[in-house]
Amino acid sequence: LCLLLFRRQKKTASHAVTELENTEDCSQAGKHLLCPSHPTEELRLFCEQCDQPVCRDCILGRHRQHPYDFTGNVIHRHGDALRKLLKNTQQNVGILEDVLSQIDDMGSAVRSRAEAVATEICLFAGGYVRAIEAHRDRLLKQLEDLKVQKENLLHLQKAQLQQLLLDMRTGVEFTEHLLMSGSDLEILITKRVVSSRLTKLNSVAYKTHPSVDDRIQFSPKERAGQCCGYEVFGTVLSKVIDPARCTLHGEDLHSARQNQLTGFTLLCNDTMGERMGQGGEAVRVTITHKDKRDCAVKPTVCDNGDGTYCISYSPEEPGLYAVCVRVKGQDVQGSPFTLMVKHKFREHQGVFHCCTFCSSGGQKAARCACGGTMPGGYQGCGHGHKGHPGCHHWSCCGQVKESSECLGGPPSDASSRSLLRTVAL
Protein backbone atom coordinates (compact mmCIF):
# COMPACT_ATOMS: atom_id res chain seq x y z
CA LEU A 1 0.00 0.00 0.00
CA CYS A 2 2.81 2.42 0.83
CA LEU A 3 4.59 1.53 -2.41
CA LEU A 4 1.45 2.28 -4.46
CA LEU A 5 0.97 5.65 -2.81
CA PHE A 6 4.65 6.43 -3.27
CA ARG A 7 4.45 5.79 -7.03
CA ARG A 8 1.21 7.70 -7.54
CA GLN A 9 2.78 10.96 -6.43
CA LYS A 10 4.31 13.05 -9.22
CA LYS A 11 7.45 13.89 -7.27
CA THR A 12 8.26 10.27 -6.32
CA ALA A 13 6.85 8.36 -9.31
CA SER A 14 10.29 7.98 -10.98
CA HIS A 15 12.18 7.12 -7.79
CA ALA A 16 13.84 3.75 -7.50
CA VAL A 17 12.67 1.51 -4.62
CA THR A 18 15.14 -0.92 -3.08
CA GLU A 19 14.45 -3.77 -0.69
CA LEU A 20 15.74 -3.16 2.81
CA GLU A 21 17.81 -6.30 2.83
CA ASN A 22 19.58 -5.09 -0.32
CA THR A 23 20.48 -1.59 0.91
CA GLU A 24 23.68 -2.85 2.50
CA ASP A 25 24.70 -4.47 -0.78
CA CYS A 26 23.98 -1.26 -2.69
CA SER A 27 26.07 0.74 -0.22
CA GLN A 28 28.90 -1.70 -0.49
CA ALA A 29 28.68 -1.64 -4.26
CA GLY A 30 29.33 2.12 -4.16
CA LYS A 31 25.96 3.15 -5.47
CA HIS A 32 24.85 6.64 -4.45
CA LEU A 33 21.36 7.50 -3.25
CA LEU A 34 19.50 10.04 -5.36
CA CYS A 35 17.50 12.95 -4.03
CA PRO A 36 13.73 12.30 -3.91
CA SER A 37 13.09 15.89 -5.03
CA HIS A 38 15.83 15.97 -7.65
CA PRO A 39 16.20 12.48 -9.13
CA THR A 40 19.36 13.40 -11.09
CA GLU A 41 21.22 14.69 -8.02
CA GLU A 42 22.99 12.59 -5.41
CA LEU A 43 22.52 13.11 -1.67
CA ARG A 44 26.02 14.36 -0.80
CA LEU A 45 25.13 17.15 1.64
CA PHE A 46 23.48 17.27 5.09
CA CYS A 47 21.25 20.13 6.23
CA GLU A 48 21.92 20.79 9.94
CA GLN A 49 18.78 22.85 10.42
CA CYS A 50 16.44 20.26 8.89
CA ASP A 51 18.52 17.31 10.11
CA GLN A 52 18.34 15.44 6.79
CA PRO A 53 20.51 14.59 3.75
CA VAL A 54 20.04 16.92 0.77
CA CYS A 55 21.44 17.45 -2.70
CA ARG A 56 23.03 20.48 -4.31
CA ASP A 57 19.78 21.65 -5.86
CA CYS A 58 18.08 21.43 -2.47
CA ILE A 59 20.68 23.81 -1.01
CA LEU A 60 20.01 26.20 -3.85
CA GLY A 61 16.29 25.83 -3.39
CA ARG A 62 14.21 25.50 -0.22
CA HIS A 63 17.26 24.85 1.98
CA ARG A 64 18.85 28.13 1.00
CA GLN A 65 20.70 29.87 3.86
CA HIS A 66 20.42 26.68 6.00
CA PRO A 67 23.70 25.55 7.58
CA TYR A 68 24.97 22.42 5.82
CA ASP A 69 28.07 20.32 5.26
CA PHE A 70 29.20 17.27 3.36
CA THR A 71 27.95 13.97 4.69
CA GLY A 72 31.51 12.72 5.18
CA ASN A 73 32.25 15.65 7.48
CA VAL A 74 29.22 15.21 9.75
CA ILE A 75 28.93 11.45 9.83
CA HIS A 76 31.33 11.10 12.75
CA ARG A 77 29.49 13.58 14.93
CA HIS A 78 26.07 12.22 14.17
CA GLY A 79 27.31 8.66 14.29
CA ASP A 80 28.79 9.21 17.75
CA ALA A 81 25.52 10.69 18.98
CA LEU A 82 23.65 7.75 17.52
CA ARG A 83 26.06 5.29 19.08
CA LYS A 84 25.63 7.03 22.46
CA LEU A 85 21.88 6.74 22.18
CA LEU A 86 22.32 3.14 21.12
CA LYS A 87 24.45 2.44 24.19
CA ASN A 88 21.88 4.04 26.50
CA THR A 89 19.11 2.10 24.80
CA GLN A 90 21.08 -1.14 25.15
CA GLN A 91 21.54 -0.39 28.85
CA ASN A 92 17.80 0.21 29.24
CA VAL A 93 17.17 -3.02 27.36
CA GLY A 94 19.33 -4.85 29.86
CA ILE A 95 17.63 -3.14 32.79
CA LEU A 96 14.18 -3.95 31.41
CA GLU A 97 15.19 -7.57 30.88
CA ASP A 98 16.41 -7.72 34.52
CA VAL A 99 13.20 -6.09 35.79
CA LEU A 100 11.07 -8.49 33.79
CA SER A 101 13.08 -11.37 35.19
CA GLN A 102 12.60 -10.00 38.72
CA ILE A 103 8.88 -9.59 38.05
CA ASP A 104 8.67 -13.22 36.96
CA ASP A 105 10.61 -14.29 40.06
CA MET A 106 8.41 -12.11 42.29
CA GLY A 107 5.30 -13.57 40.68
CA SER A 108 6.56 -17.05 41.55
CA ALA A 109 7.39 -15.90 45.08
CA VAL A 110 3.94 -14.30 45.49
CA ARG A 111 2.23 -17.48 44.36
CA SER A 112 4.35 -19.59 46.71
CA ARG A 113 3.76 -17.22 49.62
CA ALA A 114 0.03 -17.06 48.91
CA GLU A 115 -0.14 -20.85 48.97
CA ALA A 116 1.72 -20.92 52.31
CA VAL A 117 -0.54 -18.24 53.81
CA ALA A 118 -3.60 -20.06 52.49
CA THR A 119 -2.41 -23.14 54.36
CA GLU A 120 -1.97 -21.06 57.53
CA ILE A 121 -5.45 -19.58 57.11
CA CYS A 122 -6.99 -22.99 56.69
CA LEU A 123 -5.17 -24.28 59.78
CA PHE A 124 -6.22 -21.21 61.80
CA ALA A 125 -9.82 -21.31 60.60
CA GLY A 126 -10.02 -25.03 61.24
CA GLY A 127 -8.72 -24.56 64.76
CA TYR A 128 -11.04 -21.62 65.31
CA VAL A 129 -14.02 -23.63 64.11
CA ARG A 130 -13.10 -26.45 66.47
CA ALA A 131 -12.69 -23.94 69.33
CA ILE A 132 -16.07 -22.37 68.60
CA GLU A 133 -17.70 -25.80 68.44
CA ALA A 134 -16.08 -26.76 71.74
CA HIS A 135 -17.19 -23.45 73.26
CA ARG A 136 -20.70 -24.06 71.91
CA ASP A 137 -20.79 -27.49 73.53
CA ARG A 138 -19.54 -25.99 76.79
CA LEU A 139 -22.23 -23.29 76.72
CA LEU A 140 -24.94 -25.85 76.01
CA LYS A 141 -23.65 -27.98 78.91
CA GLN A 142 -23.78 -24.93 81.21
CA LEU A 143 -27.28 -24.18 80.01
CA GLU A 144 -28.40 -27.78 80.62
CA ASP A 145 -26.87 -27.77 84.13
CA LEU A 146 -28.56 -24.47 84.89
CA LYS A 147 -31.89 -25.78 83.67
CA VAL A 148 -31.58 -28.94 85.79
CA GLN A 149 -30.58 -26.86 88.83
CA LYS A 150 -33.59 -24.56 88.48
CA GLU A 151 -35.92 -27.51 87.88
CA ASN A 152 -34.59 -29.31 90.98
CA LEU A 153 -35.16 -26.21 93.12
CA LEU A 154 -38.69 -25.90 91.75
CA HIS A 155 -39.36 -29.61 92.37
CA LEU A 156 -38.09 -29.29 95.94
CA GLN A 157 -40.19 -26.19 96.58
CA LYS A 158 -43.21 -27.87 95.01
CA ALA A 159 -42.81 -30.99 97.15
CA GLN A 160 -42.50 -28.93 100.31
CA LEU A 161 -45.52 -26.81 99.47
CA GLN A 162 -47.57 -29.88 98.49
CA GLN A 163 -46.77 -31.51 101.83
CA LEU A 164 -47.66 -28.30 103.66
CA LEU A 165 -50.88 -28.00 101.65
CA LEU A 166 -51.77 -31.61 102.45
CA ASP A 167 -51.16 -31.04 106.17
CA MET A 168 -53.26 -27.89 106.12
CA ARG A 169 -56.12 -29.53 104.24
CA THR A 170 -56.06 -32.41 106.71
CA GLY A 171 -56.13 -29.97 109.62
CA VAL A 172 -58.92 -27.95 107.99
CA GLU A 173 -61.03 -31.04 107.28
CA PHE A 174 -60.50 -32.40 110.78
CA THR A 175 -61.33 -29.07 112.41
CA GLU A 176 -64.40 -28.50 110.24
CA HIS A 177 -65.64 -32.02 111.00
CA LEU A 178 -65.00 -31.47 114.71
CA LEU A 179 -66.91 -28.21 114.78
CA MET A 180 -69.80 -29.57 112.74
CA SER A 181 -70.18 -33.08 114.17
CA GLY A 182 -68.36 -33.09 117.50
CA SER A 183 -70.07 -32.59 120.82
CA ASP A 184 -69.27 -29.72 123.09
CA LEU A 185 -67.19 -31.97 125.29
CA GLU A 186 -65.26 -33.40 122.30
CA ILE A 187 -64.52 -29.91 121.01
CA LEU A 188 -63.25 -28.77 124.38
CA ILE A 189 -61.16 -31.91 124.87
CA THR A 190 -59.40 -31.66 121.45
CA LYS A 191 -59.29 -27.88 121.31
CA ARG A 192 -55.75 -27.58 122.66
CA VAL A 193 -54.28 -30.17 120.25
CA VAL A 194 -56.16 -28.82 117.24
CA SER A 195 -55.26 -25.22 118.04
CA SER A 196 -51.64 -26.15 118.51
CA ARG A 197 -51.59 -28.01 115.20
CA LEU A 198 -53.25 -25.21 113.24
CA THR A 199 -51.05 -22.59 114.89
CA LYS A 200 -47.95 -24.56 113.94
CA LEU A 201 -49.13 -24.95 110.36
CA ASN A 202 -49.91 -21.24 110.08
CA SER A 203 -46.45 -20.33 111.42
CA VAL A 204 -44.61 -22.29 108.72
CA ALA A 205 -42.79 -19.77 106.51
CA TYR A 206 -43.03 -20.34 102.78
CA LYS A 207 -42.40 -18.28 99.67
CA THR A 208 -45.43 -16.94 97.90
CA HIS A 209 -43.65 -17.05 94.53
CA PRO A 210 -41.39 -19.58 92.79
CA SER A 211 -37.95 -19.84 94.35
CA VAL A 212 -36.30 -19.32 90.95
CA ASP A 213 -37.24 -17.45 87.81
CA ASP A 214 -36.72 -18.06 84.11
CA ARG A 215 -33.95 -15.51 83.78
CA ILE A 216 -31.48 -17.26 81.51
CA GLN A 217 -29.67 -14.98 79.10
CA PHE A 218 -26.98 -15.33 76.49
CA SER A 219 -24.53 -12.45 76.07
CA PRO A 220 -22.72 -12.92 72.73
CA LYS A 221 -20.40 -9.92 73.10
CA GLU A 222 -19.02 -10.75 76.53
CA ARG A 223 -15.52 -12.24 76.64
CA ALA A 224 -15.48 -15.88 77.67
CA GLY A 225 -11.73 -16.44 77.98
CA GLN A 226 -9.89 -18.95 75.81
CA CYS A 227 -10.91 -22.26 74.35
CA CYS A 228 -8.38 -24.51 72.58
CA GLY A 229 -5.95 -21.59 72.51
CA TYR A 230 -8.41 -19.17 70.89
CA GLU A 231 -10.20 -16.24 72.51
CA VAL A 232 -13.94 -16.80 72.38
CA PHE A 233 -17.00 -14.72 73.15
CA GLY A 234 -20.43 -15.48 74.53
CA THR A 235 -21.51 -16.40 78.06
CA VAL A 236 -24.63 -17.76 79.70
CA LEU A 237 -25.85 -15.39 82.40
CA SER A 238 -27.49 -17.38 85.15
CA LYS A 239 -27.32 -15.17 88.23
CA VAL A 240 -30.63 -13.92 89.54
CA ILE A 241 -30.66 -10.68 91.50
CA ASP A 242 -32.12 -10.77 95.01
CA PRO A 243 -33.28 -7.31 96.17
CA ALA A 244 -33.17 -8.45 99.81
CA ARG A 245 -29.42 -9.11 99.42
CA CYS A 246 -28.61 -5.85 97.63
CA THR A 247 -26.82 -3.34 99.86
CA LEU A 248 -26.34 0.42 99.98
CA HIS A 249 -22.96 2.01 100.63
CA GLY A 250 -21.80 5.59 101.21
CA GLU A 251 -20.08 7.73 103.82
CA ASP A 252 -22.96 10.22 103.94
CA LEU A 253 -25.79 7.79 103.31
CA HIS A 254 -28.09 9.43 105.86
CA SER A 255 -26.94 13.04 105.65
CA ALA A 256 -26.46 15.67 102.95
CA ARG A 257 -26.04 19.40 102.46
CA GLN A 258 -28.40 21.83 100.81
CA ASN A 259 -27.51 22.46 97.12
CA GLN A 260 -24.51 20.16 97.39
CA LEU A 261 -24.07 17.18 95.06
CA THR A 262 -23.84 13.92 97.01
CA GLY A 263 -24.82 10.31 96.61
CA PHE A 264 -24.34 6.64 97.45
CA THR A 265 -23.72 3.30 95.74
CA LEU A 266 -26.04 0.34 95.27
CA LEU A 267 -24.32 -3.05 95.24
CA CYS A 268 -26.45 -5.77 93.63
CA ASN A 269 -26.11 -9.40 94.71
CA ASP A 270 -27.74 -12.62 93.59
CA THR A 271 -29.76 -15.11 95.62
CA MET A 272 -26.53 -16.59 97.02
CA GLY A 273 -25.26 -13.20 98.19
CA GLU A 274 -22.62 -13.07 95.47
CA ARG A 275 -21.85 -10.03 93.32
CA MET A 276 -23.94 -9.93 90.14
CA GLY A 277 -21.04 -8.81 87.96
CA GLN A 278 -23.20 -7.22 85.24
CA GLY A 279 -25.65 -4.37 84.97
CA GLY A 280 -28.92 -3.87 83.18
CA GLU A 281 -31.23 -3.98 86.21
CA ALA A 282 -34.25 -1.70 86.58
CA VAL A 283 -33.22 0.45 89.55
CA ARG A 284 -35.79 2.97 90.81
CA VAL A 285 -34.90 5.63 93.41
CA THR A 286 -37.31 8.14 94.98
CA ILE A 287 -36.33 10.92 97.42
CA THR A 288 -39.28 12.80 98.94
CA HIS A 289 -39.50 15.41 101.68
CA LYS A 290 -41.33 14.13 104.76
CA ASP A 291 -42.91 17.48 105.63
CA LYS A 292 -43.37 18.98 102.17
CA ARG A 293 -45.28 16.52 100.01
CA ASP A 294 -44.71 18.50 96.85
CA CYS A 295 -40.96 18.66 97.45
CA ALA A 296 -38.96 15.83 95.86
CA VAL A 297 -35.41 15.37 94.66
CA LYS A 298 -34.75 13.92 91.23
CA PRO A 299 -31.80 11.52 91.52
CA THR A 300 -29.51 10.30 88.75
CA VAL A 301 -28.82 6.56 88.48
CA CYS A 302 -25.64 5.53 86.70
CA ASP A 303 -25.22 1.87 85.71
CA ASN A 304 -21.53 0.95 86.02
CA GLY A 305 -22.09 -2.33 84.18
CA ASP A 306 -20.49 -4.42 86.94
CA GLY A 307 -23.42 -4.87 89.30
CA THR A 308 -22.99 -1.49 91.00
CA TYR A 309 -25.09 1.65 90.51
CA CYS A 310 -24.12 5.18 91.51
CA ILE A 311 -27.03 7.32 92.70
CA SER A 312 -26.34 11.06 92.89
CA TYR A 313 -28.62 13.94 93.86
CA SER A 314 -28.56 17.58 94.99
CA PRO A 315 -31.33 18.58 97.46
CA GLU A 316 -32.58 22.15 97.30
CA GLU A 317 -34.56 22.19 100.55
CA PRO A 318 -33.24 21.25 104.01
CA GLY A 319 -35.13 18.82 106.21
CA LEU A 320 -35.94 15.13 106.54
CA TYR A 321 -36.34 13.02 103.40
CA ALA A 322 -37.47 9.45 102.80
CA VAL A 323 -35.23 7.60 100.35
CA CYS A 324 -36.60 4.47 98.67
CA VAL A 325 -34.42 2.22 96.49
CA ARG A 326 -36.12 -0.58 94.60
CA VAL A 327 -34.89 -3.29 92.23
CA LYS A 328 -37.41 -5.30 90.22
CA GLY A 329 -40.14 -3.47 92.15
CA GLN A 330 -38.83 -4.62 95.56
CA ASP A 331 -37.03 -2.65 98.27
CA VAL A 332 -33.35 -3.41 98.69
CA GLN A 333 -31.74 -4.06 102.04
CA GLY A 334 -31.96 -0.92 104.19
CA SER A 335 -34.66 0.72 102.07
CA PRO A 336 -36.46 2.94 102.75
CA PHE A 337 -34.21 5.03 104.98
CA THR A 338 -34.22 8.56 106.37
CA LEU A 339 -32.01 11.31 104.95
CA MET A 340 -31.24 14.50 106.84
CA VAL A 341 -30.45 17.46 104.60
CA LYS A 342 -28.71 20.22 106.53
CA HIS A 343 -28.53 23.87 105.61
CA LYS A 344 -25.91 25.05 103.18
CA PHE A 345 -22.36 24.67 104.47
CA ARG A 346 -21.36 27.83 106.32
CA GLU A 347 -17.89 29.01 105.35
CA HIS A 348 -15.52 30.48 107.93
CA GLN A 349 -15.26 34.26 107.85
CA GLY A 350 -12.17 34.56 110.06
CA VAL A 351 -8.65 33.22 109.95
CA PHE A 352 -7.22 29.91 111.11
CA HIS A 353 -4.46 31.07 113.44
CA CYS A 354 -2.38 30.11 116.45
CA CYS A 355 -3.38 33.27 118.35
CA THR A 356 -4.73 36.78 117.79
CA PHE A 357 -1.46 38.45 118.73
CA CYS A 358 0.49 36.69 115.97
CA SER A 359 -2.09 36.92 113.19
CA SER A 360 -2.96 40.60 113.84
CA GLY A 361 0.59 41.81 114.20
CA GLY A 362 0.15 42.75 117.84
CA GLN A 363 -3.04 44.81 117.55
CA LYS A 364 -4.54 45.34 120.99
CA ALA A 365 -8.15 45.77 119.81
CA ALA A 366 -8.20 42.53 117.78
CA ARG A 367 -10.36 39.87 119.40
CA CYS A 368 -10.93 36.14 118.84
CA ALA A 369 -14.10 34.07 119.22
CA CYS A 370 -12.25 31.67 121.53
CA GLY A 371 -12.56 34.34 124.26
CA GLY A 372 -8.87 34.37 125.17
CA THR A 373 -7.16 37.59 126.34
CA MET A 374 -3.66 38.81 127.16
CA PRO A 375 -2.40 41.14 129.89
CA GLY A 376 -1.55 44.69 128.97
CA GLY A 377 -4.92 45.58 127.48
CA TYR A 378 -4.87 43.04 124.63
CA GLN A 379 -8.44 41.96 123.79
CA GLY A 380 -7.37 38.84 121.90
CA CYS A 381 -5.75 35.51 122.74
CA GLY A 382 -2.04 34.78 122.97
CA HIS A 383 0.22 31.83 123.60
CA GLY A 384 -0.21 30.44 127.09
CA HIS A 385 -2.67 33.09 128.20
CA LYS A 386 -6.17 32.89 129.59
CA GLY A 387 -8.74 31.25 127.33
CA HIS A 388 -6.30 30.20 124.60
CA PRO A 389 -7.30 26.75 123.15
CA GLY A 390 -3.69 25.66 123.02
CA CYS A 391 -3.78 24.91 119.29
CA HIS A 392 -4.68 26.49 115.95
CA HIS A 393 -8.31 27.60 115.72
CA TRP A 394 -10.68 29.82 113.76
CA SER A 395 -10.94 33.42 114.88
CA CYS A 396 -14.61 33.68 113.84
CA CYS A 397 -16.02 30.81 115.91
CA GLY A 398 -13.20 29.13 117.84
CA GLN A 399 -13.42 25.80 115.93
CA VAL A 400 -10.15 23.87 116.19
CA LYS A 401 -10.68 21.86 112.97
CA GLU A 402 -9.59 23.69 109.85
CA SER A 403 -12.02 21.80 107.55
CA SER A 404 -15.06 22.40 109.75
CA GLU A 405 -18.25 24.38 109.41
CA CYS A 406 -18.39 27.82 110.94
CA LEU A 407 -20.54 27.89 114.07
CA GLY A 408 -20.49 31.65 114.55
CA GLY A 409 -22.99 34.06 112.99
CA PRO A 410 -22.58 37.55 111.60
CA PRO A 411 -21.62 40.23 114.19
CA SER A 412 -24.69 41.56 116.01
CA ASP A 413 -23.20 44.29 118.20
CA ALA A 414 -20.25 46.63 118.43
CA SER A 415 -18.34 44.35 120.76
CA SER A 416 -18.12 41.63 118.13
CA ARG A 417 -16.97 43.94 115.32
CA SER A 418 -13.37 43.68 116.48
CA LEU A 419 -13.27 39.92 115.80
CA LEU A 420 -10.22 39.22 113.68
CA ARG A 421 -11.33 38.48 110.09
CA THR A 422 -8.24 39.28 108.05
CA VAL A 423 -4.54 38.90 108.51
CA ALA A 424 -2.66 42.22 108.39
CA LEU A 425 1.03 41.79 108.93
Side-chain angles (χ1 to χ4, degrees):
L1 179 60
C2 294
L3 180 59
L4 291 175
L5 295 175
F6 187 77
R7 287 182 174 175
R8 286 179 181 177
Q9 296 182 12
K10 183 180 292 186
K11 291 183 179 181
T12 58
S14 60
H15 289 184
V17 179
T18 306
E19 298 289 341
L20 287 175
E21 58 268 16
N22 297 329
T23 55
E24 185 178 354
D25 296 338
C26 294
S27 178
Q28 292 176 357
K31 291 183 179 180
H32 298 286
L33 295 178
L34 299 178
C35 178
S37 302
H38 308 94
T40 60
E41 294 294 330
E42 297 181 0
L43 296 173
R44 295 177 179 274
L45 303 174
F46 187 81
C47 179
E48 296 288 353
Q49 182 173 333
C50 298
D51 195 26
Q52 68 178 39
V54 295
C55 67
R56 182 186 59 182
D57 291 347
C58 292
I59 295 299
L60 296 175
R62 60 191 181 90
H63 291 275
R64 184 188 300 274
Q65 295 182 352
H66 289 186
Y68 68 93
D69 201 350
F70 287 99
T71 56
N73 295 335
V74 300
I75 185 62
H76 297 292
R77 178 163 51 85
H78 289 279
D80 291 343
L82 189 59
R83 278 187 288 272
K84 184 177 180 181
L85 288 174
L86 175 63
K87 183 177 180 182
N88 292 336
T89 305
Q90 289 174 340
Q91 290 178 352
N92 286 327
V93 169
I95 293 174
L96 289 173
E97 290 176 348
D98 291 341
V99 172
L100 290 173
S101 177
Q102 293 177 11
I103 290 175
D104 292 337
D105 294 341
M106 185 56 67
S108 300
V110 168
R111 288 188 292 272
S112 300
R113 184 57 187 160
E115 292 176 358
V117 173
T119 302
E120 293 179 5
I121 292 175
C122 291
L123 291 174
F124 171 81
Y128 210 164
V129 169
R130 288 190 294 272
I132 293 175
E133 291 176 346
H135 182 52
R136 175 202 61 195
D137 296 340
R138 185 171 61 184
L139 290 175
L140 292 176
K141 179 66 166 56
Q142 292 177 359
L143 179 60
E144 180 64 22
D145 293 343
L146 178 61
K147 183 194 72 170
V148 172
Q149 179 184 4
K150 286 179 176 290
E151 288 179 343
N152 289 339
L153 291 175
L154 290 175
H155 289 325
L156 177 60
Q157 183 185 15
K158 184 178 180 180
Q160 293 175 343
L161 293 179
Q162 285 177 339
Q163 182 61 46
L164 179 60
L165 178 60
L166 178 61
D167 294 342
M168 285 186 174
R169 282 177 175 172
T170 302
V172 168
E173 291 176 358
F174 179 83
T175 306
E176 289 178 345
H177 180 73
L178 175 64
L179 293 175
M180 291 179 61
S181 305
S183 62
D184 295 343
L185 185 59
E186 290 175 338
I187 292 175
L188 294 175
I189 292 175
T190 58
K191 171 185 172 297
R192 180 181 297 178
V193 177
V194 173
S195 297
S196 176
R197 177 60 175 169
L198 293 179
T199 302
K200 184 177 181 181
L201 289 174
N202 291 330
S203 64
V204 175
Y206 58 90
K207 292 185 177 181
T208 58
H209 53 82
S211 58
V212 299
D213 56 21
D214 60 348
R215 181 174 177 177
I216 303 176
Q217 297 178 349
F218 175 65
S219 178
K221 295 183 180 181
E222 188 169 347
R223 295 179 181 273
Q226 287 194 344
C227 183
C228 302
Y230 294 84
E231 186 175 5
V232 292
F233 294 81
T235 58
V236 175
L237 303 179
S238 59
K239 290 186 176 182
V240 178
I241 191 171
D242 186 355
R245 294 182 179 270
C246 297
T247 55
L248 300 172
H249 302 272
E251 293 182 0
D252 298 326
L253 188 62
H254 298 280
S255 63
R257 288 281 181 178
Q258 181 184 8
N259 295 326
Q260 181 176 337
L261 184 65
T262 186
F264 54 90
T265 301
L266 169 65
L267 177 60
C268 294
N269 299 317
D270 62 5
T271 55
M272 303 301 293
E274 297 179 356
R275 180 88 164 266
M276 285 296 296
Q278 73 271 349
E281 299 294 340
V283 179
R284 297 289 180 268
V285 181
T286 58
I287 305 176
T288 55
H289 202 288
K290 286 193 172 183
D291 298 329
K292 301 178 181 180
R293 296 300 179 184
D294 57 343
C295 179
V297 179
K298 186 177 180 180
T300 300
V301 180
C302 178
D303 187 351
N304 297 324
D306 58 356
T308 62
Y309 299 81
C310 292
I311 295 93
S312 57
Y313 58 94
S314 179
E316 297 181 358
E317 294 288 338
L320 284 176
Y321 286 80
V323 182
C324 183
V325 183
R326 291 188 178 94
V327 177
K328 297 178 64 175
Q330 302 179 42
D331 284 313
V332 301
Q333 187 180 137
S335 174
F337 62 90
T338 301
L339 170 68
M340 169 58 76
V341 176
K342 300 179 182 179
H343 286 275
K344 188 177 180 180
F345 190 85
R346 181 180 297 176
E347 302 288 345
H348 288 282
Q349 301 299 316
V351 294
F352 193 69
H353 62 179
C354 62
C355 67
T356 307
F357 183 84
C358 293
S359 59
S360 68
Q363 298 179 15
K364 286 188 175 182
R367 295 175 59 252
C368 180
C370 71
T373 59
M374 290 177 58
Y378 288 92
Q379 301 298 313
C381 59
H383 285 82
H385 293 89
K386 181 180 178 181
H388 185 259
C391 60
H392 278 73
H393 57 284
W394 286 99
S395 64
C396 51
C397 64
Q399 285 270 58
V400 296
K401 288 186 178 181
E402 186 175 6
S403 59
S404 60
E405 183 180 9
C406 185
L407 299 179
S412 58
D413 51 34
S415 62
S416 53
R417 292 175 185 173
S418 60
L419 284 175
L420 186 62
R421 298 189 182 281
T422 58
V423 179
L425 297 179

